[in-house]
């Protein structure tokens, strides 16, 4: 719904803090949501719950609906630096991603060339500047994080439908 795309804090940001545009014709606001933002997720869950209430009697085996496409706009276009840098997403999920991979912040130093005291203060790369081949790891981490984010979002959509027995 359009009102969801008007929640500025729940929209994806690019590496410079600007809103990430959708392809033309996708929504009236034309901005991409932050897939991990709690307000966006809450609205998606509410939408799916209401949708399922309407279609539950038409879903197989009761009716003719035998498949549902979970989403069709989960792959953001452009470069890795034009994707979701929403501050809440980065603070929560990117730090968790790094912690799961590296266990302790000092393990990041050879690849990130930063001395972060905690994973919560770690920031993703915002542009491609390679001084040492070891630094490629931080760019691959950022791309892997984005893939994980998309997978997490699709899994949640599946769970929302399953909760409604669809």
């Amino acid at each position: 719904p359009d009102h969801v795309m008007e929640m500025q804090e729940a929209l994806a940001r690019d590496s410079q803090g600007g809103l990430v545009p959708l392809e033309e014709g996708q929504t009236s606001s034309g901005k991409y949501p932050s897939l991990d933002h709690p307000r966006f997720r809450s609205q998606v869950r509410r939408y799916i719950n209401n949708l399922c209430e309407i279609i539950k009697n038409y879903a197989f085996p009761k009716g003719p609906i035998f498949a549902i496409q979970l989403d069709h706009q989960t792959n953001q276009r452009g470069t890795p630096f034009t994707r979701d840098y929403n501050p809440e997403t980065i603070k929560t999920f990117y730090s968790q991603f790094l912690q799961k991979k590296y266990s302790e912040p000092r393990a990041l130093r050879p690849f990130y060339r930063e001395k972060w005291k905690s994973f919560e203060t770690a920031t993703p790369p915002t542009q491609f500047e390679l001084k040492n081949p070891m630094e490629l790891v931080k760019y691959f981490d950022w791309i892997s994080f984005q893939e994980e984010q998309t997978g997490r979002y699709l899994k949640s959509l599946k769970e929302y439908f399953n909760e409604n027995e669809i």
Side-chain angles (χ1 to χ4, degrees), residues 121-145:
T121 59
T123 56
T126 57
Q127 59 185 351
F128 189 74
E129 293 178 10
L130 189 64
K131 296 175 184 166
N132 177 327
M134 292 283 287
E135 293 175 1
L136 278 172
V137 172
K138 71 179 171 184
Y139 301 107
F140 289 127
D141 281 351
W142 179 234
I143 291 167
S144 295
F145 167 73

PDB file of all heavy atoms in Angstrom, residues 121-145:
ATOM      1  N   THR A 121      29.361  -0.785  15.848  1.00  0.00           N
ATOM      2  CA  THR A 121      29.929   0.429  15.266  1.00  0.00           C
ATOM      3  C   THR A 121      30.502   0.198  13.863  1.00  0.00           C
ATOM      4  O   THR A 121      30.924   1.148  13.214  1.00  0.00           O
ATOM      5  CB  THR A 121      31.030   1.012  16.173  1.00  0.00           C
ATOM      6  OG1 THR A 121      32.055   0.034  16.355  1.00  0.00           O
ATOM      7  CG2 THR A 121      30.466   1.435  17.520  1.00  0.00           C
ATOM      8  N   ALA A 122      30.504  -1.056  13.410  1.00  0.00           N
ATOM      9  CA  ALA A 122      31.017  -1.372  12.078  1.00  0.00           C
ATOM     10  C   ALA A 122      30.103  -0.790  11.009  1.00  0.00           C
ATOM     11  O   ALA A 122      28.883  -0.783  11.159  1.00  0.00           O
ATOM     12  CB  ALA A 122      31.132  -2.883  11.906  1.00  0.00           C
ATOM     13  N   THR A 123      30.709  -0.296   9.955  1.00  0.00           N
ATOM     14  CA  THR A 123      29.939   0.274   8.852  1.00  0.00           C
ATOM     15  C   THR A 123      30.311  -0.442   7.555  1.00  0.00           C
ATOM     16  O   THR A 123      31.461  -0.827   7.354  1.00  0.00           O
ATOM     17  CB  THR A 123      30.225   1.776   8.690  1.00  0.00           C
ATOM     18  OG1 THR A 123      31.624   1.971   8.526  1.00  0.00           O
ATOM     19  CG2 THR A 123      29.730   2.556   9.902  1.00  0.00           C
ATOM     20  N   PRO A 124      29.336  -0.609   6.673  1.00  0.00           N
ATOM     21  CA  PRO A 124      29.627  -1.263   5.395  1.00  0.00           C
ATOM     22  C   PRO A 124      30.370  -0.320   4.456  1.00  0.00           C
ATOM     23  O   PRO A 124      30.348   0.901   4.651  1.00  0.00           O
ATOM     24  CB  PRO A 124      28.238  -1.594   4.853  1.00  0.00           C
ATOM     25  CG  PRO A 124      27.349  -0.575   5.463  1.00  0.00           C
ATOM     26  CD  PRO A 124      27.926  -0.281   6.818  1.00  0.00           C
ATOM     27  N   PRO A 125      31.010  -0.868   3.443  1.00  0.00           N
ATOM     28  CA  PRO A 125      31.673  -0.003   2.474  1.00  0.00           C
ATOM     29  C   PRO A 125      30.635   0.819   1.698  1.00  0.00           C
ATOM     30  O   PRO A 125      29.551   0.329   1.404  1.00  0.00           O
ATOM     31  CB  PRO A 125      32.402  -0.983   1.551  1.00  0.00           C
ATOM     32  CG  PRO A 125      31.666  -2.266   1.695  1.00  0.00           C
ATOM     33  CD  PRO A 125      31.127  -2.274   3.094  1.00  0.00           C
ATOM     34  N   THR A 126      30.977   2.071   1.400  1.00  0.00           N
ATOM     35  CA  THR A 126      30.041   2.935   0.681  1.00  0.00           C
ATOM     36  C   THR A 126      30.484   3.229  -0.746  1.00  0.00           C
ATOM     37  O   THR A 126      29.720   3.780  -1.522  1.00  0.00           O
ATOM     38  CB  THR A 126      29.840   4.267   1.428  1.00  0.00           C
ATOM     39  OG1 THR A 126      31.113   4.890   1.586  1.00  0.00           O
ATOM     40  CG2 THR A 126      29.199   4.039   2.779  1.00  0.00           C
ATOM     41  N   GLN A 127      31.708   2.890  -1.054  1.00  0.00           N
ATOM     42  CA  GLN A 127      32.209   3.011  -2.417  1.00  0.00           C
ATOM     43  C   GLN A 127      33.375   2.052  -2.584  1.00  0.00           C
ATOM     44  O   GLN A 127      33.953   1.600  -1.607  1.00  0.00           O
ATOM     45  CB  GLN A 127      32.612   4.439  -2.747  1.00  0.00           C
ATOM     46  CG  GLN A 127      33.680   5.009  -1.848  1.00  0.00           C
ATOM     47  CD  GLN A 127      33.945   6.478  -2.164  1.00  0.00           C
ATOM     48  OE1 GLN A 127      33.456   7.006  -3.139  1.00  0.00           O
ATOM     49  NE2 GLN A 127      34.720   7.118  -1.330  1.00  0.00           N
ATOM     50  N   PHE A 128      33.682   1.756  -3.826  1.00  0.00           N
ATOM     51  CA  PHE A 128      34.748   0.799  -4.089  1.00  0.00           C
ATOM     52  C   PHE A 128      36.091   1.517  -4.156  1.00  0.00           C
ATOM     53  O   PHE A 128      36.346   2.308  -5.054  1.00  0.00           O
ATOM     54  CB  PHE A 128      34.473   0.061  -5.406  1.00  0.00           C
ATOM     55  CG  PHE A 128      35.397  -1.085  -5.637  1.00  0.00           C
ATOM     56  CD1 PHE A 128      35.251  -2.260  -4.922  1.00  0.00           C
ATOM     57  CD2 PHE A 128      36.414  -0.998  -6.564  1.00  0.00           C
ATOM     58  CE1 PHE A 128      36.104  -3.336  -5.131  1.00  0.00           C
ATOM     59  CE2 PHE A 128      37.277  -2.066  -6.788  1.00  0.00           C
ATOM     60  CZ  PHE A 128      37.117  -3.234  -6.069  1.00  0.00           C
ATOM     61  N   GLU A 129      36.924   1.254  -3.156  1.00  0.00           N
ATOM     62  CA  GLU A 129      38.282   1.796  -3.093  1.00  0.00           C
ATOM     63  C   GLU A 129      39.208   0.675  -2.660  1.00  0.00           C
ATOM     64  O   GLU A 129      39.291   0.364  -1.481  1.00  0.00           O
ATOM     65  CB  GLU A 129      38.369   2.939  -2.077  1.00  0.00           C
ATOM     66  CG  GLU A 129      37.596   4.174  -2.451  1.00  0.00           C
ATOM     67  CD  GLU A 129      37.694   5.244  -1.372  1.00  0.00           C
ATOM     68  OE1 GLU A 129      38.503   5.098  -0.433  1.00  0.00           O
ATOM     69  OE2 GLU A 129      36.931   6.211  -1.453  1.00  0.00           O
ATOM     70  N   LEU A 130      39.890   0.090  -3.597  1.00  0.00           N
ATOM     71  CA  LEU A 130      40.733  -1.061  -3.301  1.00  0.00           C
ATOM     72  C   LEU A 130      42.201  -0.655  -3.262  1.00  0.00           C
ATOM     73  O   LEU A 130      42.754  -0.199  -4.253  1.00  0.00           O
ATOM     74  CB  LEU A 130      40.513  -2.141  -4.359  1.00  0.00           C
ATOM     75  CG  LEU A 130      41.140  -3.487  -4.088  1.00  0.00           C
ATOM     76  CD1 LEU A 130      40.525  -4.128  -2.850  1.00  0.00           C
ATOM     77  CD2 LEU A 130      40.949  -4.387  -5.293  1.00  0.00           C
ATOM     78  N   LYS A 131      42.791  -0.788  -2.088  1.00  0.00           N
ATOM     79  CA  LYS A 131      44.218  -0.490  -1.927  1.00  0.00           C
ATOM     80  C   LYS A 131      45.030  -1.768  -1.776  1.00  0.00           C
ATOM     81  O   LYS A 131      46.229  -1.773  -1.971  1.00  0.00           O
ATOM     82  CB  LYS A 131      44.425   0.412  -0.712  1.00  0.00           C
ATOM     83  CG  LYS A 131      43.783   1.772  -0.868  1.00  0.00           C
ATOM     84  CD  LYS A 131      43.908   2.586   0.389  1.00  0.00           C
ATOM     85  CE  LYS A 131      43.162   3.902   0.206  1.00  0.00           C
ATOM     86  NZ  LYS A 131      42.952   4.597   1.452  1.00  0.00           N
ATOM     87  N   ASN A 132      44.338  -2.828  -1.383  1.00  0.00           N
ATOM     88  CA  ASN A 132      44.987  -4.092  -1.111  1.00  0.00           C
ATOM     89  C   ASN A 132      43.986  -5.198  -1.479  1.00  0.00           C
ATOM     90  O   ASN A 132      42.814  -5.091  -1.136  1.00  0.00           O
ATOM     91  CB  ASN A 132      45.321  -4.128   0.390  1.00  0.00           C
ATOM     92  CG  ASN A 132      45.933  -5.418   0.845  1.00  0.00           C
ATOM     93  OD1 ASN A 132      45.626  -6.497   0.344  1.00  0.00           O
ATOM     94  ND2 ASN A 132      46.799  -5.318   1.830  1.00  0.00           N
ATOM     95  N   PRO A 133      44.408  -6.257  -2.148  1.00  0.00           N
ATOM     96  CA  PRO A 133      43.472  -7.330  -2.518  1.00  0.00           C
ATOM     97  C   PRO A 133      42.719  -7.929  -1.329  1.00  0.00           C
ATOM     98  O   PRO A 133      41.589  -8.387  -1.481  1.00  0.00           O
ATOM     99  CB  PRO A 133      44.373  -8.382  -3.179  1.00  0.00           C
ATOM    100  CG  PRO A 133      45.549  -7.623  -3.671  1.00  0.00           C
ATOM    101  CD  PRO A 133      45.751  -6.493  -2.689  1.00  0.00           C
ATOM    102  N   MET A 134      43.309  -7.891  -0.135  1.00  0.00           N
ATOM    103  CA  MET A 134      42.623  -8.407   1.064  1.00  0.00           C
ATOM    104  C   MET A 134      41.330  -7.640   1.348  1.00  0.00           C
ATOM    105  O   MET A 134      40.407  -8.167   1.946  1.00  0.00           O
ATOM    106  CB  MET A 134      43.542  -8.313   2.285  1.00  0.00           C
ATOM    107  CG  MET A 134      44.723  -9.239   2.251  1.00  0.00           C
ATOM    108  SD  MET A 134      44.280 -10.923   2.654  1.00  0.00           S
ATOM    109  CE  MET A 134      44.019 -10.771   4.400  1.00  0.00           C
ATOM    110  N   GLU A 135      41.280  -6.377   0.920  1.00  0.00           N
ATOM    111  CA  GLU A 135      40.101  -5.548   1.167  1.00  0.00           C
ATOM    112  C   GLU A 135      38.890  -5.985   0.348  1.00  0.00           C
ATOM    113  O   GLU A 135      37.777  -5.549   0.621  1.00  0.00           O
ATOM    114  CB  GLU A 135      40.420  -4.080   0.882  1.00  0.00           C
ATOM    115  CG  GLU A 135      41.415  -3.490   1.858  1.00  0.00           C
ATOM    116  CD  GLU A 135      41.816  -2.071   1.484  1.00  0.00           C
ATOM    117  OE1 GLU A 135      41.315  -1.535   0.491  1.00  0.00           O
ATOM    118  OE2 GLU A 135      42.654  -1.508   2.210  1.00  0.00           O
ATOM    119  N   LEU A 136      39.101  -6.849  -0.641  1.00  0.00           N
ATOM    120  CA  LEU A 136      37.960  -7.368  -1.406  1.00  0.00           C
ATOM    121  C   LEU A 136      36.965  -8.072  -0.490  1.00  0.00           C
ATOM    122  O   LEU A 136      35.769  -8.083  -0.768  1.00  0.00           O
ATOM    123  CB  LEU A 136      38.433  -8.337  -2.496  1.00  0.00           C
ATOM    124  CG  LEU A 136      38.930  -7.712  -3.778  1.00  0.00           C
ATOM    125  CD1 LEU A 136      39.543  -8.771  -4.682  1.00  0.00           C
ATOM    126  CD2 LEU A 136      37.818  -6.979  -4.496  1.00  0.00           C
ATOM    127  N   VAL A 137      37.468  -8.630   0.587  1.00  0.00           N
ATOM    128  CA  VAL A 137      36.613  -9.362   1.516  1.00  0.00           C
ATOM    129  C   VAL A 137      35.462  -8.491   2.022  1.00  0.00           C
ATOM    130  O   VAL A 137      34.322  -8.937   2.090  1.00  0.00           O
ATOM    131  CB  VAL A 137      37.438  -9.933   2.698  1.00  0.00           C
ATOM    132  CG1 VAL A 137      36.545 -10.526   3.759  1.00  0.00           C
ATOM    133  CG2 VAL A 137      38.426 -10.965   2.177  1.00  0.00           C
ATOM    134  N   LYS A 138      35.723  -7.230   2.357  1.00  0.00           N
ATOM    135  CA  LYS A 138      34.651  -6.378   2.880  1.00  0.00           C
ATOM    136  C   LYS A 138      33.568  -6.135   1.840  1.00  0.00           C
ATOM    137  O   LYS A 138      32.400  -6.039   2.175  1.00  0.00           O
ATOM    138  CB  LYS A 138      35.186  -5.067   3.440  1.00  0.00           C
ATOM    139  CG  LYS A 138      35.710  -4.081   2.443  1.00  0.00           C
ATOM    140  CD  LYS A 138      36.193  -2.817   3.164  1.00  0.00           C
ATOM    141  CE  LYS A 138      36.922  -1.883   2.238  1.00  0.00           C
ATOM    142  NZ  LYS A 138      37.471  -0.728   2.951  1.00  0.00           N
ATOM    143  N   TYR A 139      33.938  -6.084   0.563  1.00  0.00           N
ATOM    144  CA  TYR A 139      32.939  -5.900  -0.493  1.00  0.00           C
ATOM    145  C   TYR A 139      32.126  -7.178  -0.690  1.00  0.00           C
ATOM    146  O   TYR A 139      30.914  -7.126  -0.872  1.00  0.00           O
ATOM    147  CB  TYR A 139      33.612  -5.451  -1.791  1.00  0.00           C
ATOM    148  CG  TYR A 139      34.360  -4.162  -1.608  1.00  0.00           C
ATOM    149  CD1 TYR A 139      35.751  -4.131  -1.568  1.00  0.00           C
ATOM    150  CD2 TYR A 139      33.680  -2.962  -1.412  1.00  0.00           C
ATOM    151  CE1 TYR A 139      36.436  -2.949  -1.363  1.00  0.00           C
ATOM    152  CE2 TYR A 139      34.360  -1.776  -1.198  1.00  0.00           C
ATOM    153  CZ  TYR A 139      35.739  -1.778  -1.178  1.00  0.00           C
ATOM    154  OH  TYR A 139      36.405  -0.601  -0.963  1.00  0.00           O
ATOM    155  N   PHE A 140      32.804  -8.313  -0.626  1.00  0.00           N
ATOM    156  CA  PHE A 140      32.081  -9.580  -0.721  1.00  0.00           C
ATOM    157  C   PHE A 140      31.191  -9.788   0.500  1.00  0.00           C
ATOM    158  O   PHE A 140      30.096 -10.335   0.389  1.00  0.00           O
ATOM    159  CB  PHE A 140      33.048 -10.752  -0.907  1.00  0.00           C
ATOM    160  CG  PHE A 140      33.690 -10.792  -2.265  1.00  0.00           C
ATOM    161  CD1 PHE A 140      35.059 -10.858  -2.393  1.00  0.00           C
ATOM    162  CD2 PHE A 140      32.917 -10.755  -3.422  1.00  0.00           C
ATOM    163  CE1 PHE A 140      35.660 -10.885  -3.642  1.00  0.00           C
ATOM    164  CE2 PHE A 140      33.503 -10.780  -4.680  1.00  0.00           C
ATOM    165  CZ  PHE A 140      34.881 -10.845  -4.790  1.00  0.00           C
ATOM    166  N   ASP A 141      31.648  -9.358   1.672  1.00  0.00           N
ATOM    167  CA  ASP A 141      30.804  -9.424   2.872  1.00  0.00           C
ATOM    168  C   ASP A 141      29.528  -8.606   2.676  1.00  0.00           C
ATOM    169  O   ASP A 141      28.439  -9.037   3.032  1.00  0.00           O
ATOM    170  CB  ASP A 141      31.543  -8.894   4.105  1.00  0.00           C
ATOM    171  CG  ASP A 141      32.516  -9.885   4.702  1.00  0.00           C
ATOM    172  OD1 ASP A 141      32.520 -11.063   4.280  1.00  0.00           O
ATOM    173  OD2 ASP A 141      33.291  -9.467   5.589  1.00  0.00           O
ATOM    174  N   TRP A 142      29.685  -7.401   2.127  1.00  0.00           N
ATOM    175  CA  TRP A 142      28.537  -6.525   1.930  1.00  0.00           C
ATOM    176  C   TRP A 142      27.533  -7.153   0.960  1.00  0.00           C
ATOM    177  O   TRP A 142      26.327  -7.150   1.196  1.00  0.00           O
ATOM    178  CB  TRP A 142      28.992  -5.150   1.444  1.00  0.00           C
ATOM    179  CG  TRP A 142      27.898  -4.173   1.184  1.00  0.00           C
ATOM    180  CD1 TRP A 142      27.687  -3.488   0.028  1.00  0.00           C
ATOM    181  CD2 TRP A 142      26.862  -3.737   2.081  1.00  0.00           C
ATOM    182  NE1 TRP A 142      26.583  -2.665   0.149  1.00  0.00           N
ATOM    183  CE2 TRP A 142      26.064  -2.807   1.401  1.00  0.00           C
ATOM    184  CE3 TRP A 142      26.536  -4.075   3.382  1.00  0.00           C
ATOM    185  CZ2 TRP A 142      24.957  -2.194   1.975  1.00  0.00           C
ATOM    186  CZ3 TRP A 142      25.428  -3.456   3.969  1.00  0.00           C
ATOM    187  CH2 TRP A 142      24.659  -2.536   3.266  1.00  0.00           C
ATOM    188  N   ILE A 143      28.023  -7.743  -0.115  1.00  0.00           N
ATOM    189  CA  ILE A 143      27.143  -8.410  -1.082  1.00  0.00           C
ATOM    190  C   ILE A 143      26.488  -9.636  -0.440  1.00  0.00           C
ATOM    191  O   ILE A 143      25.294  -9.867  -0.609  1.00  0.00           O
ATOM    192  CB  ILE A 143      27.929  -8.780  -2.354  1.00  0.00           C
ATOM    193  CG1 ILE A 143      28.313  -7.497  -3.103  1.00  0.00           C
ATOM    194  CG2 ILE A 143      27.116  -9.711  -3.250  1.00  0.00           C
ATOM    195  CD1 ILE A 143      29.342  -7.692  -4.190  1.00  0.00           C
ATOM    196  N   SER A 144      27.256 -10.395   0.324  1.00  0.00           N
ATOM    197  CA  SER A 144      26.697 -11.566   1.022  1.00  0.00           C
ATOM    198  C   SER A 144      25.634 -11.151   2.024  1.00  0.00           C
ATOM    199  O   SER A 144      24.608 -11.818   2.170  1.00  0.00           O
ATOM    200  CB  SER A 144      27.798 -12.343   1.742  1.00  0.00           C
ATOM    201  OG  SER A 144      28.693 -12.892   0.823  1.00  0.00           O
ATOM    202  N   PHE A 145      25.879 -10.050   2.731  1.00  0.00           N
ATOM    203  CA  PHE A 145      24.885  -9.542   3.675  1.00  0.00           C
ATOM    204  C   PHE A 145      23.585  -9.203   2.938  1.00  0.00           C
ATOM    205  O   PHE A 145      22.495  -9.543   3.402  1.00  0.00           O
ATOM    206  CB  PHE A 145      25.398  -8.308   4.417  1.00  0.00           C
ATOM    207  CG  PHE A 145      24.316  -7.577   5.147  1.00  0.00           C
ATOM    208  CD1 PHE A 145      23.765  -8.112   6.299  1.00  0.00           C
ATOM    209  CD2 PHE A 145      23.818  -6.366   4.673  1.00  0.00           C
ATOM    210  CE1 PHE A 145      22.738  -7.453   6.981  1.00  0.00           C
ATOM    211  CE2 PHE A 145      22.801  -5.705   5.336  1.00  0.00           C
ATOM    212  CZ  PHE A 145      22.266  -6.252   6.489  1.00  0.00           C
TER     213      PHE A 145
END
